[in-house]
Structure formats: C-alpha cells, structure tokens
Amino acid sequence: MPDRSDQNRTEPATPKRREEARKKGQLAQSREVSSVLVLLSALGAFFFSGVHIFHGLSDLMRGVFQNIATITLQQGSMSVLLLEIFYQIFIILIPLMLAVAVAGIAANLFQVGFLFTLDPLTPKLSKLNPLSGIKRLLSLRSLAELAKSLLKVVFVGGVAFMMVKSELGNIPSLMLTDVSETLSFFAAVSFRIGFYTCLTLIVLAALDYAFQRWQYEKSLRMTKQEVKDELKQREGDPAVKARIRSVQREMARRRMMESVPTADVVITNPTKLAIALKYDPEKMMAPKVTAKGAGFIAERIKTLAKENGVPLFEHKPLAQTLFKLVEIGGTIPANLYQAVAEILAYVYGLKKEAFPR
C-alpha cells in the first residue's frame, strides 16, 4: 500500500484523481459563499419589493381581524381559512423565496458547477468509528471552522453594534412619531445593518473560499508512487506492453511467412536480404512486397521459397532499395517499375520453359 502520509504526498493531483473526487462529491466548497449570496439576495428582495410585502401582509392581517367575528369555529371552516391564509402569505413572499432559491442554486453552480451524485449519502461504517470522529473533531478543518465561526460572530456583531450605537440618539424621538414613521425608521436601520453585514461577510467568504481551495488541493495531493501506479493503469504495464508487442510481431511475421509460397519471385542481396514480390495484373496496379527480412528472417524466406518452387533472383542494389523504401504490403515505387518488370518477365519466361503448354 502506498504511504498516504502528508510528508510523502508532494505531487499535485492528476486529472483522473480530480475526476474521481468530483464523482464522490469531494469538492472545494465554502458555505460562507452560499450564505452571503442568499443574504444579499434576500436583502435585495426586501429593498425592491419590501413595500409590496409589507402592504400585502398588512392587508391580509387587516382582513383577517376585520372578519374574525364572522368566522365560525368549526373544524372544516378553520382548515379552509388556514389554507387560504397560508396561500396568501405564499403569494406575497414569492419574490423573496425566488430570490433566495436562485441565489442558493447560483452559489453552488459558481463553486462546483453542475453535479449530481449520491455518493455522500451512501452509508459508510467508517463514519461510525469513534476514533475517526475524534480525529475529525481535532483536525485542522474543525479548528479552522471554529476560528471562522468566532471571527464571524465578532465581525458581524461588531458591525451590528456600531450601526445600532450610531442610531441610539434617534430612538427617543420616535415617541413623537406615528407607527408608519417608526416602522420606516426600523426598516431603514435594519437594511443598513444587513447591508454592512453583507459587506463584512463577503470578505469572510472570500477568505474562507481561498482556504477551502487550499485545503482541497492539499487533500488531493498524491505520492510519487501513486502517480506512477496511475500512469501504469492508464498506459499499461511496460512489461505487459512489451509482451503484447512481441506477440504482435510474431503474428505479423507468421502471416508474412505464409505469403512467401504465393510470391512470384524473391529478390536477394544475396546473403543478407530477401524481398518477396507478387503481381496480379487483374487486382494490382503494381507489384507488391509481400514479405521481407534481413539475416535470419531472410534465410527463412529463401528456404520457404525454395521449398515451394518460388524463384530466387539475386539483385543487390534492387534488394537494398526495396528493403529500405517499401513496407510489407506496399507497392513498389514508379522508378523501380522497369527493373522489377524485367525480373518478372525473366521469371515468367522460366515458368513457361518449365511448364510448356
């Protein structure tokens, strides 16, 4: 098993490891980013539609209290009344709920993109291990979450305190105003508190997202051995690949040797090279090299040719040129047509003499 200690995990994660982590739902995601976007969207919804929401709820409550004396307290009528009230509240709060829902979805898409996986919900016995739970409680992530929570309480509480403190001098004068002005004052103060709180949370969210990215990249780091093992899995074991190539070469050599008995002529070097040629005027535009080899392979080609009555023709320059320029199964180049045609004519002449009609 590869060593997964932090000291040996020095290599950046490979694309394959990142894809596997993504499929498991292991991503760099900050809850603070989602929180601040939801809070900003709610604040924006209140700013643009707060008056509509206020008047809608006011009209609903006024209508309920004005008609409360006419309501018969029966089980069926009460259920209908409550459903109607909830429906009206839902209609009034639709702008706020839509803004919050869109912000929550956008926050997740911004951080991780579109992803659907059930892996984080799969029950795992390892999560029930007390020792693992204690390690998680004492881990760097837990300490960072604790520090982040305390920092957020201090910053947000400090901003709210300063905003309220700056408005304390205006509160006594509210006793001389009517209800609408009092509500407007508290709405304005609440909006300013929410706005400056959001500005503070944006800074905290940016810092938290950077920390989450750093921690995520650190958790994905790999050891050198893991990178090597993954490379072997992707490209194959070198020993296995070498064995496959050896088998493929042997099969190609066997097929090549099987084509020698059907060749028209074998051109030799005379001792080092052997090239088998075949020409079928009805199927081929030019003669083709069906087999070639040097050294031991050349000797084997010549032996097979002799055993099957294929003529051998010694032509050192032509043999060297064909061996260098033409692959097995390829046709000869145009500049060699005349030389090969003379050899084939000679061979065909020998066959006619040996087998006269």
Side-chain angles (χ1 to χ4, degrees), residues 259-266 275-281 283-284 286-291 330-332 340 344 348 351:
S259 69
V260 173
T262 63
D264 292 322
V265 65
V266 173
I275 298 92
L277 297 179
K278 182 175 180 61
Y279 180 54
D280 186 347
K283 299 180 180 180
M284 302 177 185
K288 288 186 177 181
V289 174
T290 59
T331 58
I332 64 172
V340 173
L344 289 176
Y348 294 154
K351 288 183 177 180

Side-chain angles (χ1 to χ4, degrees), residues 32-54:
E32 302 304 321
V33 174
S34 301
S35 300
V36 73
L37 285 180
V38 168
L39 185 57
L40 278 173
S41 65
L43 197 63
F46 276 123
F47 180 78
F48 290 106
S49 61
V51 176
H52 168 73
I53 293 174
F54 174 77

Side-chain angles (χ1 to χ4, degrees), residues 268-323:
T268 64
N269 192 22
T271 58
K272 295 181 179 180
L273 302 176
I275 298 92
L277 297 179
K278 182 175 180 61
Y279 180 54
D280 186 347
E282 297 180 357
K283 299 180 180 180
M284 302 177 185
M285 295 294 295
K288 288 186 177 181
V289 174
T290 59
K292 71 175 183 177
F296 173 77
I297 302 298
E299 293 299 325
R300 180 61 180 158
I301 291 174
K302 289 188 287 185
T303 301
L304 285 174
K306 292 177 183 178
E307 292 176 354
N308 291 274
V310 178
L312 301 178
F313 191 92
E314 181 181 336
H315 196 305
K316 185 175 180 180
L318 181 60
Q320 292 176 341
T321 303
L322 289 173
F323 187 83

